[in-house]
Amino acid sequence: MTLINKKISNQASNEVRHDWTIDEVRNLLEKPLIELLWEAQKIHRRSNPGYVVQLASLLSVKTGGCTEDCAYCPQSIHSSSDLSEQSTLEISNVLQQAQEAKSAGADRFCMGWAWREIQEGEHFETMLEMIRGVKSLGLEACVTAGMVTEKQASRLAEAGLTAYNHNLDTSPEKYGEIITTRTYQERLETLHRIRAAGINICCGGIIGMGESTTDRASLLQVLASLNPHPESVPINSLVAVEGTLLEKVNPIDPLEVVRMVATARILMPRSKIRLSAGRKQLGREAQILCLQAGANSIFYGEKLLTTGNPDIEEDQKLLSLAGVKIKANFIE
Ligand code: SAM
Ligand code: DTB
Ligand code: SF4
């Protein structure tokens, strides 16, 4: 048995490792697809018996006008996409949309603010009120709003926040080509503060931005080195929005997404691997392979933050065709 095979067979017994090397991860990403799928599936079946999938709905509470220069993002003031800053949604509107998402079957409600970092004062108090409201509906509450201080993290925890989404987006090596207004280290520090406050981490990245397989391996290696692993790992594929710096990047092969999901499952056996942005371009077959090889959550509802997502009926059909179970939202 080679060293890698031995390590994979340890994984099948649910040993959780934090010491993967970039070479090991790249070897997984480059395995013959059919073998990669089999390795991932053995782990997926064991750690997620019944193929239960969580539906998470997204809402952009504060859209556009962000000062960061993320090359993929239509909400950045540095992009020339159409989105200029829009007014922030009110609490009643957000909670109504959370209730609608719950009625449609969602178990988690994620709210986004296009900020570099959380803004203090009235805005933050409103965010806390929204979190309390979403939790009182019996939904998991997730927020993504940029960097946070220690004090803000503890107030988010007090309000009952389930998870904070803060993505590393790409490898440390590629990062400077995608974002120049904040560092990888700052992202990691926010993740640390969130974790220290007792909030679950939702952290993943984007593929299809012109990165190499080594970059993908390097991103996954950083994620898998976090201890504990992020509870949730969104795998986004680039939605190439007009006006962003990446608008002309060629779409990736859907099987690359499958490889990324399967590898993430092997590295982080107990995490929720979320098949995130870009599903509209994926096709049914690739999505089903993802569900088979490791994905146990999707974003659900016609809109992500500013771009489209498959419609609810289409997703219900897809999940039933695949034969997975939907994680129930119990509280009436
Ligand atoms: N401003 C906050 C931040 O950056 O953490 C929260 C909002 S931001 C829109 C959340 C995540 O959405 C980003 O980290 C990125 O991974 C993802 N994202 C944004 N635009 C995307 C696009 N065009 N395609 C795929 N993923 C995208
Ligand atoms: C994540 O990793 N993907 C979601 C969620 N976390 C916040 C956002 C995807 C955004 C796609 C582009 C848009 O709709 O603006
Ligand atoms: Fe701002 Fe987040 Fe978009 Fe970057 S990804 S420009 S931080 S909203």
Side-chain angles (χ1 to χ4, degrees):
M1 205 185 253
T2 66
L3 189 60
I4 285 176
N5 285 340
K6 204 160 156 199
K7 280 179 174 160
I8 287 168
S9 94
N10 283 343
Q11 279 295 113
S13 59
N14 271 3
E15 183 207 326
V16 175
R17 286 180 53 198
H18 300 275
D19 60 352
W20 292 90
T21 65
I22 295 178
D23 280 348
E24 283 177 317
V25 182
R26 199 186 36 234
N27 283 336
L28 286 171
L29 283 169
E30 288 176 339
K31 253 180 182 291
L33 187 58
I34 208 145
E35 280 185 37
L36 172 62
L37 290 174
W38 174 234
E39 295 302 344
Q41 218 192 328
K42 281 190 282 188
I43 290 162
H44 191 41
R45 275 180 75 96
R46 194 181 289 229
S47 32
N48 307 284
Y51 295 98
V52 178
V53 173
Q54 184 183 48
L55 305 181
S57 290
L58 269 172
L59 178 66
S60 180
V61 177
K62 188 267 175 183
T63 307
C66 183
T67 54
E68 299 287 77
D69 68 354
C70 312
Y72 50 76
C73 188
Q75 304 200 65
S76 163
I77 54 170
H78 305 272
S79 85
S80 64
S81 50
D82 270 337
L83 289 168
S84 48
E85 183 165 348
Q86 292 163 29
S87 59
T88 307
L89 301 184
E90 294 194 354
I91 298 173
S92 57
N93 184 348
V94 170
L95 296 185
Q96 191 190 330
Q97 298 201 51
Q99 175 60 59
E100 283 166 15
K102 182 185 173 186
S103 305
D107 179 58
R108 180 167 170 121
F109 194 68
C110 310
M111 297 168 279
W113 279 257
W115 282 337
R116 169 177 167 76
E117 66 246 304
I118 286 187
Q119 305 293 295
E120 279 296 338
E122 202 190 321
H123 288 299
F124 188 41
E125 301 308 318
T126 306
M127 178 189 291
L128 297 174
E129 200 51 43
M130 290 173 185
I131 294 167
R132 287 188 279 266
V134 169
K135 286 302 295 288
S136 72
L137 290 171
L139 292 166
E140 291 186 2
C142 179
V143 160
T144 181
M147 296 186 272
V148 300
T149 63
E150 208 179 304
K151 175 112 192 300
Q152 288 164 345
S154 76
R155 293 205 65 205
L156 290 167
E158 269 164 33
L161 185 68
T162 314
Y164 196 84
N165 167 247
H166 202 63
N167 291 338
L168 289 171
D169 285 339
T170 189
S171 66
E173 299 76 22
K174 173 91 181 165
Y175 187 85
E177 286 172 39
I178 304 293
I179 301 150
T180 69
T181 48
R182 58 167 148 66
T183 63
Y184 216 72
Q185 188 53 32
E186 284 174 307
R187 284 311 253 194
L188 289 167
E189 282 163 15
T190 285
L191 291 169
H192 179 73
R193 288 183 203 114
I194 293 292
R195 174 66 84 210
I199 301 168
N200 286 348
I201 290 180
C202 172
C203 183
I206 308 177
I207 62 169
M209 300 194 293
E211 71 287 340
S212 64
T213 307
T214 305
D215 286 316
R216 290 178 195 167
S218 174
L219 166 66
L220 287 172
Q221 189 272 334
V222 177
L223 293 171
S225 72
L226 299 176
N227 192 356
H229 290 155
E231 285 75 16
S232 158
V233 181
I235 305 292
N236 297 280
S237 34
L238 178 72
V239 181
V241 183
E242 216 182 305
T244 61
L245 281 175
L246 300 180
E247 69 173 322
K248 297 243 155 60
V249 174
N250 288 332
I252 46 165
D253 180 339
L255 292 177
E256 296 293 306
V257 183
V258 176
R259 283 183 182 279
M260 197 69 185
V261 165
T263 305
R265 171 53 68 219
I266 295 170
L267 303 184
M268 294 168 278
R270 299 187 190 146
S271 303
K272 283 221 166 58
I273 306 295
R274 286 180 205 279
L275 182 56
S276 302
R279 281 199 302 117
K280 257 177 112 89
Q281 289 81 51
L282 263 193
R284 289 191 311 177
E285 297 80 358
Q287 291 187 69
I288 289 174
L289 282 177
C290 288
L291 292 168
Q292 190 174 25
N296 57 346
S297 177
I298 58 168
F299 282 119
Y300 176 70
E302 268 108 71
K303 210 164 170 201
L304 293 164
L305 290 174
T306 65
T307 64
N309 197 40
D311 66 36
I312 283 180
E313 247 177 51
E314 203 179 315
D315 273 343
Q316 290 284 356
K317 274 197 214 148
L318 175 84
L319 296 170
S320 129
L321 175 68
V324 298
K325 297 194 184 76
I326 295 175
K327 182 171 184 276
N329 54 18
F330 290 108
I331 303 172
E332 283 309 306

